[in-house]
Amino acid sequence: MDGDYILRKIMTEKRIDITEPLWDQSTFVGRFRHFAFISNPLLSMASEKELYEAKELYFKYKEGKEPPNTQLTQVVRAKQLYESAFHPDSGELQNVFGRMSFQMPGGCLITGAMLQWYRTATAVVFWQWVNQSFNALVNYTNRNANSPLSTTQMGVAYISATSAAMATALTFKYGIQKRAKNPILARFVPFAAVAAANWVNIPLMRQNEIVLGLDVTDENGKIIGKSQIAPVKGISQVVTSRIIMCAPGMLLLPVIMEKIEPKAWMQRIKWAHIGIQTGIVGMFLTFMVPTACAIFPQKCKLSIDTIKRFEKDRYEEILKNTDGKPPEYVYFNKGL
């Protein structure tokens, strides 16, 4: 939490709009601060009791019915806990392992293991399966509550993403790696597999948004229709962000380890290599989780001309709902 910023809020404002981010979301810095605020790894350690108390205060403050003498710092803390743990659409408490606040601890453990145990096909397959199981849980936890998936659809998404990750990893391991002279390429196999799987996992997990269309609004938040192009744009941005999120750890760390592993002092502490890699990945992810989430605005926009060109029926619906005066852009939540 930005302590100085909150102090200024206390000194200059009597109330805040608790439903809106504390920082300007039209800038990257503002978005970074917002996501750093709600993806702090320490938030994943909050108890259910604390989270439900935060939810209660959040909604009481929203209605202007908070207890007397409630401090703004208490309100901001409740906002931070609520937005880090409860689904923005359904309001349900999310599984702790699927929250953005758990991306650093969960991601660094799995990524560290993938980068440490990459030499055998068995290890590659096992850790890709573990990683895709974790990703499936994250994607399910952050799904659009208005486009629920059937058990069959979730199963297909999970199996397809896991298969894509394993196939990519094994192709790189036994194809490109054997033809290349540089042994460091073997260390990049996990990243190639993760990138490929993300392009399978996330679109499949959110397939109903593409098939059925996603609600789009005007700039004031009023729903004026649906679009199937909107989720395609949003999902593409989410996939790109997820790949960028893990890229530094999975691309820079192999180079670092390739340089330092031959050192005598590293050879004497082989038992600590997995811990060293996991720690470095954790440092990367602490910074990269909010960075990747902030690359694209959460409130994504789409030109009405694009809908008019590619979705004539949807455009006619929007035209009807806006009395023949559609906005220049429509807006939607791209998801995480």
Side-chain angles (χ1 to χ4, degrees):
M1 186 185 299
D2 188 332
D4 291 340
Y5 176 82
I6 300 304
L7 182 60
R8 290 195 299 272
K9 278 275 186 184
I10 294 172
M11 295 174 64
T12 60
E13 298 183 23
K14 292 184 178 180
R15 297 189 69 82
I16 61 171
D17 184 346
I18 199 169
T19 64
E20 292 294 324
L22 296 173
W23 295 273
D24 181 5
Q25 296 300 285
S26 67
T27 68
F28 171 78
V29 173
R31 295 194 296 272
F32 176 86
R33 286 186 170 186
H34 170 69
F35 284 109
F37 180 68
I38 63 173
S39 67
N40 185 329
L42 295 177
L43 295 174
S44 63
M45 300 173 64
S47 67
E48 281 197 17
K49 180 176 181 293
E50 189 177 4
L51 292 174
Y52 277 110
E53 287 176 350
K55 180 179 181 179
E56 183 179 9
L57 178 56
Y58 179 97
F59 281 100
K60 282 185 176 179
Y61 185 86
K62 179 182 176 181
E63 297 167 1
K65 300 177 181 178
E66 71 276 9
N69 303 317
T70 298
Q71 301 296 311
L72 185 56
T73 50
Q74 293 175 283
V75 174
V76 171
R77 176 61 176 174
K79 174 181 174 65
Q80 183 183 34
L81 287 169
Y82 175 76
E83 293 182 357
S84 75
F86 290 87
H87 195 285
D89 296 330
S90 66
E92 295 178 355
L93 181 62
Q94 297 174 313
N95 184 298
V96 63
F97 302 111
R99 300 174 198 165
M100 281 296 133
S101 60
F102 194 76
Q103 280 293 293
M104 190 283 278
C108 78
L109 290 173
I110 296 172
T111 303
M114 285 194 295
L115 293 176
Q116 177 67 23
W117 293 298
Y118 64 91
R119 292 180 175 87
T120 68
T122 301
V124 168
V125 168
F126 175 75
W127 286 110
Q128 286 300 326
W129 170 73
V130 171
N131 186 54
Q132 287 312 310
S133 297
F134 177 64
N135 285 344
L137 180 58
V138 172
N139 293 335
Y140 175 75
T141 302
N142 293 282
R143 71 197 183 282
N144 188 317
N146 296 320
S147 302
L149 288 177
S150 67
T151 303
T152 300
Q153 288 173 316
M154 285 190 289
V156 169
Y158 171 69
I159 293 171
S160 299
T162 305
S163 300
M166 293 177 181
T168 304
L170 294 175
T171 298
F172 270 76
K173 183 170 181 61
Y174 291 110
I176 298 174
Q177 178 190 341
K178 283 190 174 182
R179 295 189 182 94
K181 294 181 179 179
N182 192 340
I184 198 174
L185 286 178
R187 293 181 180 270
F188 295 133
V189 168
F191 175 72
V194 168
N198 271 323
W199 282 108
V200 176
N201 195 332
I202 297 174
L204 281 175
M205 192 61 73
R206 295 176 59 179
Q207 59 187 281
N208 277 357
E209 295 176 39
I210 300 173
V211 174
L212 303 176
L214 195 63
D215 287 339
V216 293
T217 72
D218 58 20
E219 60 181 3
N220 298 316
K222 179 184 177 181
I223 296 175
I224 57 175
K226 286 181 177 289
S227 170
Q228 290 168 287
I229 295 178
V232 171
K233 180 178 181 179
I235 290 169
S236 297
Q237 291 182 350
V238 169
V239 173
T240 302
S241 294
R242 293 283 187 88
I243 293 173
I244 290 172
M245 187 184 295
C246 67
M250 301 189 82
L251 292 178
L252 296 179
L253 185 53
V255 177
I256 295 172
M257 294 303 292
E258 190 73 15
K259 294 291 185 182
I260 67 174
E261 275 187 353
K263 304 292 184 182
W265 63 273
M266 279 292 282
Q267 289 298 308
R268 289 195 296 270
I269 56 169
K270 286 186 176 181
W271 54 270
H273 288 193
I274 178 63
I276 292 171
Q277 291 200 130
T278 301
I280 296 174
V281 170
M283 288 189 290
F284 276 126
L285 283 176
T286 299
F287 177 75
M288 286 308 300
V289 170
T291 297
C293 289
I295 291 173
F296 303 106
Q298 190 65 29
K299 186 178 180 181
C300 193
K301 69 179 183 180
L302 181 68
S303 169
I304 193 69
D305 289 336
T306 301
I307 297 178
K308 182 179 181 180
R309 180 178 179 184
F310 297 104
E311 299 183 278
K312 288 184 171 53
D313 291 343
R314 301 289 190 186
Y315 176 75
E316 292 298 328
E317 179 188 358
I318 293 173
L319 205 62
K320 180 180 178 182
N321 292 337
T322 56
D323 297 324
K325 298 177 181 179
E328 184 179 0
Y329 292 97
V330 295
Y331 300 86
F332 59 94
N333 188 329
K334 71 175 178 63
L336 290 173

